[in-house]
């Protein structure tokens, strides 16, 4: 009896212990980890589901995952269930993981609320991309892996040992036999190895081992900034692929058929694929080239072209020289600016336009090209000698210094047609002999006593003196002034008529003749000081005062308004000097306006209107 009582008491004690343990660690307080697959192709992601039956708001410790995985996405859910009066809760965390390496990879033990999950082994197939030219080993193994991969990357360099600051072409090819959604390919650079995308992607098709792949080829330009061994993380592909294992709504399956997979209605999963690292060994500058300019290239050409081709212009006309540098194995941004390399002789001025830079691919190599126009203008006629132009560069093929040379050239500048300054500088016209386009003094109508002669300004010779008058310009000016007078009279009559009809007469404001004179004086002072911006502002103000109701808005509009072959290039030169903020000599423009003003005089018998050349 005693023995039986002891047995009952022992059983009761055991039951109490079991119940106490259950109270301390309820049966529903479990933490589990599971994956949707254990065999992964290169770049594929795995979905890790963490589930806990404990109540609370804490999160699992995910730090151990960072060693072998990247967390691409994360979602959290909670649920509460009451069954037969009993309440249970469940927390769930779903993670999309991208393995950082191939081979056997372990999902480590994780902890959540003091509970631990079991480790999980994954088998990740190799990318099989191969470096192609980057020097990585294991090409045969990776080629074999390629035969089974659905998506993989390949990379190749056109040079494994480039010189520092030379251009290297990196070709990246993406092979895929499945449809990719929201795909992007990134290749970040470093401070030691600059990276820039080159050109547009090219899409082709290729068949390998019975599979048809869509191949996307992209080129990058790499420029090493220091010598030594340099490494760049491989390109990274981020995309979404159709998840054939996801559940599809039956209605959508009947309605769309296979489109729910191809179009993504059946769900997608992330795809992150890393190419192999890019490695190269940059060579330093040779000892003899440690100082001065450094331009390494496989081939370099220096050319120029002239417009006009015979390099013959008149005073005030522009002569354009186009300089072109093309270098194989060099980017356009590294090519030097030669606009200031050729000194200009006295009397010849140069203005460099903005250079056009372009990088292209030729047989897998980078070809940089720099085109730049240099506009030349001359103040006086004559022959101008431009010295030869030399550009030193380093031939990386033969490892020696070379020079590209443009020979010296001669520029011919002739006197402008109808230019009085050209004849004066040459000693004046020969008596009895007319300059081209201008009648001689002996036979000119202005020399006849019966011909009307306009009064000359003080200090300016009249038609009977030593200077000849361009009568074509005078006639044109007279016609324009007469038309302007007629238009002004009609406009004023119309205004007076409207004012009489509408109410009391309002006096018309006087034409701002004083402002014309002030603007002209300010323009002349700016020209003498060679101040380009001040001259432009004063000249525009001069035009605004001259044509208050239809003022030209800029120098180009003013050039079209004046329509003078001598003034047009000078006004454009002033405009370029203001834009480029470069040195400008205002003597030629001031002299041209003064000469034209002296020739274009209003007739005394007609009302004088404030014009650009008077006031």
């Amino acid at each position: 009896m005693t023995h039986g009582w002891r047995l009952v008491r022992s059983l009761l004690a055991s039951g109490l212990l079991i119940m106490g343990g259950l109270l301390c660690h309820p049966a529903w307080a479990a933490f589990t980890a599971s994956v949707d697959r254990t065999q992964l192709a290169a770049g594929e992601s795995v979905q890790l589901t963490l589930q806990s039956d404990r109540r609370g708001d804490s999160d699992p410790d995910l730090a151990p995952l960072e060693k072998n995985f990247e967390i691409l996405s994360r979602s959290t859910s909670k649920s509460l269930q009451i069954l037969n009066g009993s309440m249970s809760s469940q927390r769930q965390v779903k993670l999309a993981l991208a393995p950082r390496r191939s081979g056997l990879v372990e999902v480590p033990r994780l902890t959540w609320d003091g509970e631990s999950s079991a480790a999980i082994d994954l088998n990740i197939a190799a990318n099989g991309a191969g470096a192609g030219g980057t020097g990585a080993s294991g090409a045969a193994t990776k080629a074999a892996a390629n035969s089974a991969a659905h998506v993989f990357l390949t990379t190749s360099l056109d040079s494994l040992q480039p010189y520092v600051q030379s251009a290297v072409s990196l070709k990246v090819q993406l092979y895929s036999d499945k449809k990719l959604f929201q795909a992007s390919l990134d290749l970040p650079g470093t401070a030691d190895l600059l990276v820039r995308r080159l050109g547009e992607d090219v899409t082709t098709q290729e068949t390998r081992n019975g599979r048809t792949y869509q191949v996307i080829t992209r080129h990058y330009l790499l420029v090493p900034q220091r010598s030594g061994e340099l490494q760049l993380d491989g390109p990274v592909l981020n995309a979404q692929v159709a998840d054939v294992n996801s559940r599809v709504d039956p209605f959508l399956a009947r309605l769309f058929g296979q489109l729910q997979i191809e179009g993504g209605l059946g769900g997608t999963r992330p795809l992150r694929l890393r190419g192999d690292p890019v490695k190269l060994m940059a060579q330093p500058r040779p000892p003899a080239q440690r100082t001065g300019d450094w331009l390494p290239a496989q081939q370099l050409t220096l050319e120029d072209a002239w417009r006009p081709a015979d390099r013959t212009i008149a005073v005030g006309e522009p002569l354009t020289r186009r300089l072109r540098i093309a270098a194989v194995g060099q980017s356009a941004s590294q090519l030097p600016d030669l606009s200031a390399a050729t000194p200009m002789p006295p009397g010849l001025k140069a203005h460099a336009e903005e250079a056009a830079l372009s990088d292209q691919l030729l047989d897998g190599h980078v070809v940089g090209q720099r085109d730049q126009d240099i506009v030349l203008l001359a103040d006086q006629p004559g022959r101008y000698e431009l010295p030869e132009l030399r550009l030193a560069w380093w031939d990386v093929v033969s490892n020696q210094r070379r020079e590209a040379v443009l020979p010296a050239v001669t520029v011919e500048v002739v006197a402008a047609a109808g230019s009085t300054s050209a004849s004066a500088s040459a000693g004046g016209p020969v008596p009895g002999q007319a300059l081209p386009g201008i009648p001689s003094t002996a036979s000119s109508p202005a020399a006849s006593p019966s011909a009307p002669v306009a009064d000359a300004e003080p200090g300016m010779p009249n038609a009977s003196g030593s200077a000849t008058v361009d009568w074509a310009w005078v006639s044109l000016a007279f016609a324009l002034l007469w038309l302007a007078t007629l238009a002004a009279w009609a406009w004023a009559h119309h205004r007076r008529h409207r004012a009489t009809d509408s109410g009391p007469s309002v006096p018309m404001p006087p034409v701002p003749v004083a402002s014309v004179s002030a603007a002209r004086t300010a323009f002349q002072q700016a020209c003498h000081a060679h101040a380009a911006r001040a001259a432009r502002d004063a000249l525009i103000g001069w035009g605004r005062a001259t044509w208050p109701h239809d003022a030209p808005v800029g120098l180009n509009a003013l050039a079209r308004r004046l329509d003078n072959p001598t003034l047009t290039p000078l006004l454009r030169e002033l405009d370029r000097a203001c834009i480029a903020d470069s040195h400008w000599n205002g003597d030629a423009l001031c002299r041209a306006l003064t000469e034209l003003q002296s020739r274009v005089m209003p007739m005394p018998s007609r009302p004088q209107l404030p014009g650009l050349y008077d006031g």
Side-chain angles (χ1 to χ4, degrees), residues 453-468:
V453 180
D455 295 334
E457 278 192 6
M460 295 298 298
N462 57 22
S464 62
S466 59
T468 19

Side-chain angles (χ1 to χ4, degrees), residues 133 157-163 167-169 279-280 298 365:
L157 287 169
D158 71 329
S159 177
L160 296 178
Q161 295 181 336
Y163 276 95
V168 183
S169 172
K279 299 179 182 180
L280 53 84
Q298 301 175 32
H365 301 293

Side-chain angles (χ1 to χ4, degrees), residues 162-165 192 224-230 281-285:
Y163 276 95
V164 62
Q165 293 181 349
D192 295 332
Q225 299 299 297
R226 66 168 180 86
S227 59
E229 183 178 351
L230 302 177
M281 179 65 69
Q283 302 182 60
R285 296 174 61 168

Side-chain angles (χ1 to χ4, degrees), residues 93-428:
V93 176
K94 290 186 176 182
L95 306 170
L97 304 179
R100 296 183 182 273
R101 58 183 179 86
S102 59
L104 190 62
V105 179
E106 180 187 73
V107 177
R109 294 168 59 90
L110 302 176
T111 59
W112 194 1
D113 289 335
E115 299 275 347
S116 297
S117 65
I120 305 173
D121 291 332
L122 303 178
N123 191 3
I124 314 299
N127 171 36
T134 59
S137 60
T141 303
K142 292 177 179 179
N146 273 349
S147 62
H150 293 280
V151 183
F152 60 92
L153 291 167
T154 65
T155 57
S156 61
L157 287 169
D158 71 329
S159 177
L160 296 178
Q161 295 181 336
Y163 276 95
V164 62
Q165 293 181 349
S166 62
V168 183
S169 172
L170 172 67
K171 181 171 70 173
V172 179
Q173 290 186 298
L174 167 64
Y175 290 77
S176 177
D177 68 348
K178 58 173 59 178
K179 193 173 183 63
L180 303 180
F181 304 95
Q182 303 174 10
S184 65
L185 187 65
D186 299 316
L187 182 66
T190 65
D192 295 332
L193 195 57
L194 303 184
V195 176
R196 182 165 61 86
R197 184 175 170 181
L198 187 61
E200 299 294 331
D201 295 344
V202 178
T203 303
T204 57
Q205 282 191 345
E206 185 176 330
T207 301
R208 289 193 175 190
N209 299 314
R211 288 186 178 181
T212 300
Y213 290 91
Q214 184 184 39
V215 184
I216 299 177
T217 303
R218 177 178 295 183
H219 291 272
Y220 291 93
L221 186 149
L222 311 182
V223 180
Q225 299 299 297
R226 66 168 180 86
S227 59
E229 183 178 351
L230 302 177
Q231 179 170 324
L232 195 67
D233 290 339
V236 179
L237 170 69
N238 287 287
Q240 297 283 329
V241 294
D243 186 2
V244 296
N245 296 326
S246 62
R247 295 181 179 180
V248 182
D249 185 272
F251 173 76
L252 294 178
R254 291 192 301 269
L255 181 62
F256 295 101
Q258 291 299 319
L259 291 180
Q260 78 276 4
I261 297 178
E262 297 179 0
L265 295 178
T268 60
R269 65 169 52 243
L271 174 71
R272 175 166 294 183
L273 185 62
R274 290 185 176 273
D276 291 326
V278 178
K279 299 179 182 180
L280 53 84
M281 179 65 69
Q283 302 182 60
R285 296 174 61 168
Q289 303 293 319
R290 294 294 170 86
T291 59
D293 295 333
W294 170 245
L295 186 60
Q298 301 175 32
Q299 182 180 349
L300 186 141
T301 57
L302 176 61
E303 302 173 337
D304 66 348
W306 294 85
R307 190 171 66 248
D310 60 357
R311 301 190 296 275
T312 301
I313 57 172
V315 173
E317 292 182 354
L319 175 63
T320 303
R321 184 185 196 183
R322 167 159 291 190
L323 292 176
R324 169 172 293 177
I325 311 174
V328 180
Q330 191 61 250
S331 65
S333 60
Q334 298 287 105
L335 299 178
D337 182 2
L338 299 181
S339 61
T342 304
M344 292 292 111
L348 200 62
K349 295 173 291 186
H351 168 75
E353 303 285 353
E354 184 178 357
L357 307 180
S358 64
D359 290 313
Q360 301 176 356
L361 279 174
L362 179 63
D363 296 331
H365 301 293
V366 178
V367 179
Q369 182 170 300
R370 179 187 180 96
D371 291 308
Q372 188 168 26
D373 287 346
I374 301 176
V375 182
L376 307 180
L377 289 170
D379 294 336
Q380 299 294 334
R383 293 171 62 91
Y384 296 90
E385 185 78 16
L386 272 64
E388 66 180 10
L389 184 60
R390 293 180 173 270
L391 175 61
W393 61 286
W394 182 259
D395 190 340
V396 300
V397 178
S398 59
N399 287 323
Q400 61 178 334
R401 183 181 182 273
R402 295 186 182 274
E403 273 192 341
V405 181
L406 289 178
V409 295
T410 301
V411 174
E412 291 281 351
V413 180
V414 299
S419 173
T420 59
S421 61
S423 62
S425 64

Side-chain angles (χ1 to χ4, degrees), residues 17-88:
L17 288 175
I18 293 174
M19 292 180 64
L22 291 175
L23 290 175
C24 295
H25 300 282
W28 56 84
F31 171 37
T32 60
S34 60
V35 294
D36 62 339
R37 65 185 72 186
T38 58
Q39 301 286 334
L40 278 77
E44 287 186 339
S45 61
V46 60
Q47 180 174 291
L48 174 64
T49 302
L50 306 179
Q51 184 170 301
S52 174
D53 292 336
R54 280 187 177 274
R55 297 182 183 179
D57 295 323
S58 63
D59 293 323
D61 182 13
L62 304 179
L65 289 173
E66 297 178 356
K67 179 180 179 180
N68 294 327
F69 299 92
E70 293 180 77
I71 301 177
L72 304 181
S73 64
R74 171 176 175 170
S75 62
T76 303
S77 63
K78 294 182 180 180
S79 62
L80 185 64
Q81 184 177 9
I82 300 177
L83 184 62
N84 297 327
S86 299
M87 182 173 61
S88 63

Side-chain angles (χ1 to χ4, degrees), residues 364-568:
H365 301 293
V366 178
V367 179
Q369 182 170 300
R370 179 187 180 96
D371 291 308
Q372 188 168 26
D373 287 346
I374 301 176
V375 182
L376 307 180
L377 289 170
D379 294 336
Q380 299 294 334
R383 293 171 62 91
Y384 296 90
E385 185 78 16
L386 272 64
E388 66 180 10
L389 184 60
R390 293 180 173 270
L391 175 61
W393 61 286
W394 182 259
D395 190 340
V396 300
V397 178
S398 59
N399 287 323
Q400 61 178 334
R401 183 181 182 273
R402 295 186 182 274
E403 273 192 341
V405 181
L406 289 178
V409 295
T410 301
V411 174
E412 291 281 351
V413 180
V414 299
S419 173
T420 59
S421 61
S423 62
S425 64
V430 179
Q433 181 179 359
L435 293 177
I438 301 180
S440 64
T441 305
S443 61
S444 171
S448 173
S450 60
V453 180
D455 295 334
E457 278 192 6
M460 295 298 298
N462 57 22
S464 62
S466 59
T468 19
V469 178
D470 189 344
W471 288 103
W473 280 106
V474 174
S475 300
L476 177 61
F478 288 166
L480 292 177
L481 288 173
W482 181 81
L483 291 175
T485 303
L486 182 62
W489 176 85
W491 176 78
H493 176 74
H494 178 68
R495 288 289 302 268
R496 286 195 300 269
H497 180 71
R498 289 187 58 187
T500 303
D501 294 343
S502 59
S505 174
V506 179
M508 295 289 293
V511 179
V513 177
S515 62
V516 170
S517 178
R520 180 178 59 188
T521 302
F523 169 74
Q524 293 172 344
Q525 293 175 350
C527 287
H528 295 325
H530 308 304
R533 295 183 183 275
R536 179 189 62 183
D537 296 340
L539 193 56
I540 293 177
W542 192 354
R544 188 180 301 112
T546 303
W547 299 285
H549 303 288
D550 186 23
V553 295
L555 293 181
N556 290 329
L558 182 60
R560 291 191 297 269
R561 180 74 59 87
L562 298 177
D563 193 21
N564 184 286
T566 302
L567 287 176
T568 296

